[in-house]
Amino acid sequence: RRASDPFLERRLASTGATTWRIVDRKPWQAGRIDVKWHNERLPLSGGRFALDVWSSLVHLRTSSFIEMASLQGWVRSPEADLATGLPLSDAERPSVPLAVAEGVRKVATDMDSDHKEVLCLLDQSGQTAVEWLSPQARGASDLFERHEVRGCGRFEGDEGSHGPWTYRASVGEPSPLTMRGEDQSGASIERAMSGGRFTDLVATGAPLSFAPHGEALTLLPTPTGITRIAATGDERPVRTANGATAIALLVTPRGDLEVLTPDGFDGRSELRRSCPIERQLGDLGAMKFGALDISDDGLLELSGRRGSEAVFYSVSCAAGEPVVMPWSMAIPVAGRRRVTASRLPWDRIWLNWTAGRFAAGAVTPSPTHALLAKDAAPVRFLNGGDRAFAVMNDDVLEIDVDALVSALSHDH
């Protein structure tokens, strides 16, 4: 090759941090021009270098740099370069991993919880790139702190030790105010409002008293999941496994908390595996549960309303597939004197309402001992130990359990 070959591989020009070279020269091929800035390739975009296609720039009062976002990511220039048009020759990458800098597509100012101005960076998806400029980094390029946040904005306040929520005025989000925090497990959770109320304080079912480790709590099922209210009044949310609305709560004989959602028991629940009641009861979200209880041997009792209709179910999951018994209540009788004296093999007897008639028996789902005809369905069954009750709209049926055992023993 002649020394005058215009396509000879060589450096064409160097302007500060930018170098132009002819590379990849092969026989019968002219090669190509390669442009690098601080050893990074500078691709072209619309006739310009991608690094020159800016989307945003900001200048923090605590920093002597101008922060810029381009199609090639985050770069910074000395603030003195504002007067000369921010030439590329003076720009540099911040001292963060290159992959982080390259992923930034927008820079904005923010305010942290100490009301200090900080830098907020957003990636291609519009979420933050989680790198924040330290307020102490004036004149330095290597002091950065990492914080997980979801949007640029301005800190407005938090609840301190009384709650998990942080309130921020937001930039570029549908709501002008975002309310975010962490639940009891540390999972990110977002607070919303509906009808002028926070949804984590809107009850979707009956509250439940719960005392794990001796701590007295009131648990409230909500659209957010569960809200734990301590005796001091402090409130803490707990998300369900899939973020579903909680509609009823239950404490098992072992002292475990179970949460019922419109799709069945919560995904972290043992009952979700052993007692998938949604297969038989259908749309649980259409029900309003007044009570949910479980016996020592795993018999569930659910009472509430489906629309305008009162409902009561006993659900046995002993066989692995739920067996649903509408308007059938189990009354424990094991160890009662009359059961023992008569040597009856009964752990429980059943009270049932069907087709306008109350009946009782030692087997279910079809007790045969007729008690009373009532056309209207009950509103609720209640078990009071020595007495059982069927609550009607205008009446209450009271049943003496020992007398019922005696009557059923004659049938037996």
Side-chain angles (χ1 to χ4, degrees):
R1 291 182 294 182
R2 295 180 302 172
S4 59
D5 183 349
F7 300 110
L8 185 68
E9 287 195 6
R10 67 188 187 278
R11 184 170 67 181
L12 295 176
S14 179
T15 56
T18 307
T19 302
W20 300 64
R21 297 182 61 86
I22 294 179
V23 298
D24 295 340
R25 170 66 190 273
K26 297 177 182 178
W28 308 104
Q29 294 183 11
R32 62 180 180 83
I33 294 178
D34 179 62
V35 185
K36 287 188 175 180
W37 171 78
H38 289 298
N39 278 331
E40 289 184 47
R41 288 198 60 232
L42 282 183
L44 290 171
S45 176
R48 293 185 295 171
F49 292 126
L51 201 59
D52 281 334
V53 183
W54 299 341
S55 64
S56 52
L57 60 87
V58 295
H59 179 210
L60 275 69
R61 291 186 296 271
T62 55
S63 172
S64 59
F65 285 87
I66 306 297
E67 312 296 338
M68 299 172 286
S70 70
L71 290 180
Q72 204 164 339
W74 177 19
V75 295
R76 54 202 328 239
S77 290
E79 60 182 343
D81 281 2
L82 274 174
T84 56
L86 300 172
L88 192 61
S89 58
D90 291 343
E92 63 184 48
R93 288 288 193 190
S95 57
V96 298
L98 181 60
V100 172
E102 289 179 330
V104 173
R105 289 298 177 267
K106 183 178 180 181
V107 293
T109 56
D110 203 335
M111 185 176 290
D112 69 7
S113 57
D114 293 325
H115 296 279
K116 295 176 182 177
E117 189 182 43
V118 292
L119 180 67
C120 185
L121 311 172
L122 292 99
D123 60 18
Q124 290 176 330
S125 67
Q127 303 300 313
T128 59
V130 302
E131 294 291 337
W132 294 64
L133 177 64
S134 167
Q136 288 76 39
R138 183 171 183 81
S141 61
D142 59 350
L143 297 177
F144 292 90
E145 297 177 348
R146 185 179 183 89
H147 299 279
E148 294 286 344
V149 291
R150 281 187 53 188
C152 299
R154 183 179 68 253
F155 174 85
E156 296 290 349
D158 59 30
E159 298 180 316
S161 61
H162 297 291
W165 304 110
T166 296
Y167 302 88
R168 296 172 56 83
S170 305
V171 176
E173 295 201 17
S175 172
L177 181 69
T178 58
M179 300 168 281
R180 296 191 176 104
E182 293 183 350
D183 73 359
Q184 287 288 112
S185 66
S188 178
I189 192 169
E190 186 162 341
R191 196 173 212 184
M193 294 193 74
S194 176
R197 294 184 296 168
F198 295 123
T199 54
D200 56 288
L201 298 178
V202 175
T204 52
L208 178 71
S209 295
F210 189 44
H213 315 298
E215 179 188 10
L217 297 172
T218 298
L219 304 182
L220 191 70
T222 73
T224 305
I226 311 168
T227 294
R228 298 162 55 104
I229 305 175
T232 59
D234 292 348
E235 303 148 1
R236 295 282 170 172
V238 182
R239 288 182 76 250
T240 51
N242 58 359
T245 297
I247 56 176
L249 305 176
L250 168 70
V251 176
T252 69
R254 295 191 307 177
D256 299 327
L257 177 66
E258 297 282 358
V259 182
L260 189 63
T261 76
D263 298 320
F265 284 101
D266 185 36
R268 293 173 287 208
S269 163
E270 171 64 23
L271 284 178
R272 184 169 184 84
R273 180 190 61 80
S274 64
C275 198
I277 60 174
E278 66 278 5
R279 296 179 186 173
Q280 275 72 31
L281 295 182
D283 183 11
L284 296 174
M287 297 180 63
K288 300 293 184 183
F289 289 94
L292 181 61
D293 202 1
I294 188 169
S295 66
D296 290 343
D297 57 356
L299 183 72
L300 280 170
E301 286 186 353
L302 307 91
S303 64
R305 304 192 73 85
R306 189 186 291 273
S308 60
E309 179 188 3
V311 293
F312 184 97
Y313 302 107
S314 287
V315 184
S316 173
C317 296
E321 186 70 14
V323 177
V324 177
M325 296 161 282
W327 289 114
S328 294
M329 179 177 70
I331 304 173
V333 295
R336 296 186 77 92
R337 184 178 302 173
R338 296 195 184 186
V339 172
T340 304
S342 302
R343 298 183 179 180
L344 298 170
W346 300 341
D347 293 326
R348 57 169 68 103
I349 58 176
W350 292 86
L351 175 65
N352 172 268
W353 179 88
T354 184
R357 180 170 293 276
F358 285 98
V363 295
T364 195
S366 301
T368 57
H369 187 90
L371 294 177
L372 183 70
K374 277 283 189 179
D375 291 335
V379 175
R380 177 80 188 275
F381 278 157
L382 295 171
N383 189 352
D386 290 336
R387 296 285 189 271
F389 302 91
V391 181
M392 319 293 291
N393 277 322
D394 56 359
D395 199 2
V396 176
L397 175 63
E398 180 181 353
I399 302 166
D400 184 313
V401 175
D402 283 331
L404 182 57
V405 169
S406 296
L408 294 177
S409 66
H410 293 307
D411 295 346
H412 180 70

